[in-house]
Amino acid sequence: MNQPVRLAQLSRTEVADLADEAVLVLPIGATEQHGPHLPLGTDFLIVSELVEQALTAASTTRPVVLAPTIPYGHSEHHVSAGGAGSMRPQTLHLLLTDLISSFVRTGFRRIMIINGHGGNDTAIRTVVAQAGCDHPGVFAALSYWHEAGTTPEGEIITEHKPGHAGQFEASLLMALRPDVLPADRDIATGEPPAPMISGEDIGGGATVVRSGDWVTSGGWTDDPAGASPELGAPYRDHLVQRLASAITGFCEISAPRPPGTAH
């Protein structure tokens, strides 16, 4: 088992010694409404804990440095549905671009963004695509839930992947952070008062967005009733292993060096 090396706890001398060979992992989430029953920090709390456990489980051949989680993202669609601390997409893009640029200039050549909020997914991918054009190095971005719907054997374990403020997120948070969401808390709210059309699968990989959906739906996608740590445990274990595998694989990728530097 590995213990995460925390960027915030390193001295500049320690960073200088590690950066060239290390992988820097940058988690990002959001602070936004999660219905009347889950905490606003659900997204960043979940992704932070998943990444911590994944780094402990990963078998890496090089140091992995954990940057502090960014607790805000693009959540404008939740502001009118109950509240959020949000950035516009262009602000988020600039924030991540500037962070990657400064980390590269600090000496890191391998940077991986791990995301916990749907509103950030497009930005993290365009940012790393541009980073590969702007800087020598290797860059990756992923959102944790893309493997959330099935077990390693392919068995479907949740209908909502991950949904918003429903049974999946509630169960996962209970399993990861029982201090934040205890199992005995009453979170049953029933099904949303109106269906969510945004995100509807109409074919062709289309992105569908209908204004006002988050307000009319009440701010959640499915009833969290029945959520439990026991239901969340297999989600947690599966996601930790999938993230650990992704981190391990990323560590194996060679990273270009700046022109003129020694190998």
Side-chain angles (χ1 to χ4, degrees), residues 41-100:
T42 293
D43 288 349
F44 81 77
L45 292 168
I46 286 175
V47 75
S48 295
E49 192 63 32
L50 285 174
V51 170
E52 291 252 4
Q53 294 190 25
L55 290 180
T56 300
S59 299
T60 59
T61 56
R62 63 179 71 253
V64 180
V65 177
L66 177 60
T69 299
I70 301 172
Y72 298 100
H74 173 52
S75 301
E76 193 66 25
H77 45 300
H78 289 291
V79 173
S80 58
S86 179
M87 286 179 274
R88 292 173 294 174
Q90 56 267 45
T91 305
L92 177 59
H93 194 283
L94 287 171
L95 170 70
L96 293 172
T97 297
D98 284 354
L99 284 174
I100 288 177

Side-chain angles (χ1 to χ4, degrees), residues 196-208:
M196 175 73 67
I197 302 301
S198 296
E200 187 87 359
D201 183 4
I202 61 171
T207 297
V208 177

Side-chain angles (χ1 to χ4, degrees), residues 75-203:
S75 301
E76 193 66 25
H77 45 300
H78 289 291
V79 173
S80 58
S86 179
M87 286 179 274
R88 292 173 294 174
Q90 56 267 45
T91 305
L92 177 59
H93 194 283
L94 287 171
L95 170 70
L96 293 172
T97 297
D98 284 354
L99 284 174
I100 288 177
S101 175
S102 60
F103 286 141
V104 169
R105 287 181 282 127
T106 297
F108 290 100
R109 296 185 296 126
R110 301 168 179 87
I111 299 173
M112 184 179 208
I113 300 173
I114 301 181
N115 174 45
H117 168 57
N120 300 337
D121 190 72
T122 299
I124 63 169
R125 297 176 192 280
T126 57
V127 163
V128 298
Q130 186 62 46
C133 299
D134 294 342
H135 307 290
V138 59
F139 309 92
L142 63 88
S143 294
Y144 81 80
W145 61 83
H146 286 298
E147 297 286 347
T150 59
T151 66
E153 294 75 29
E155 176 188 356
I156 296 175
I157 56 177
T158 175
E159 177 185 354
H160 301 279
K161 189 171 73 105
H164 184 79
Q167 189 182 84
F168 173 84
E169 281 193 320
S171 295
L172 188 55
L173 187 58
M174 286 178 178
L176 289 167
R177 293 292 304 268
D179 57 317
V180 174
L181 189 61
D184 59 358
R185 182 175 296 176
D186 182 11
I187 59 172
T189 54
E191 292 297 331
M196 175 73 67
I197 302 301
S198 296
E200 187 87 359
D201 183 4
I202 61 171

